[in-house]
Amino acid sequence: MKDIIKIILGNIILTFAYALITVPNHIINGGVTSFSLIISQLINTDVTVIANIFTIILLLLSFIFLGKEFVLKSLLSSVCYMFFLSFFHVLPISFIMNPIICVSIAGIMVGLGYFLCISANASTVGFDVIALILNKKNRKFNVALTIRYIGIAILMFGIISFGISSVIYGILFTVIETSTLNICTKLRESKFGLKEEEIVR
């Protein structure tokens, strides 16, 4: 029950940040949607089709390498994500602000949301799945830093599609997001005497 609450709360924080802060301010990140957008422009295919294909692949990888419990919780997380993103998206409010303030607030919120989901042994079925698999295979792979490098690589790959300023803000967002995730992980490790592999089961 505790994990379910963390998954729901994590997705509320995530989707609030995405729907009401990053989207209205046109801030991109290095996630599955951004990567799908890049691929869709290269092969002229609908972005939702590509995003769905990546989601299925990531779910399969989760099942193979991270186990049934992780997949079930990640499915719950995905349902929560879609529901709350749709809910916040239709609200007649948004927070238009200075880009630096925007990426700072949204980055902290998304990092916290990811931490809640990951610490509950779940994912939003994004590229955090890759980071968790690598961490499980070799504990030297820091989850937060791996997510950061994947995100930055995707943003750099999409520099032509998004433009230099969007990529710079996207990289700043990714650094703040993953720094928040890393800090939360270290704080929990310090408080409970857990190692990263015990936090990210």
Side-chain angles (χ1 to χ4, degrees), residues 118-134:
I118 290 173
S119 65
N121 197 29
S123 165
T124 54
V125 196
F127 289 121
D128 52 328
V129 168
I130 304 298
L132 290 168
I133 291 171
L134 289 173

Side-chain angles (χ1 to χ4, degrees), residues 10-25 27 29 81 84-85 88 95 97 102-111 113 173:
N11 276 284
I12 288 173
I13 296 170
L14 274 169
T15 53
F16 182 96
Y18 282 139
L20 301 182
I21 301 177
T22 62
V23 171
N25 289 277
I27 301 298
N29 62 72
Y81 183 91
F84 289 118
L85 186 65
F88 288 127
F95 300 96
M97 59 188 82
C102 172
V103 297
S104 298
I105 294 173
I108 291 169
M109 291 181 70
V110 171
F173 171 87

Side-chain angles (χ1 to χ4, degrees), residues 56-72 74 129 133 136:
I56 291 169
I57 292 171
L58 290 168
L59 274 172
L60 288 172
L61 289 173
S62 297
F63 182 76
I64 294 168
F65 294 103
L66 300 173
K68 182 180 177 181
E69 179 189 348
F70 183 89
V71 172
L72 290 175
S74 295
V129 168
I133 291 171
K136 185 176 181 179

Side-chain angles (χ1 to χ4, degrees), residues 19-20 83-94:
L20 301 182
F83 173 79
F84 289 118
L85 186 65
S86 299
F87 172 77
F88 288 127
H89 184 68
V90 298
L91 292 180
I93 57 172
S94 60

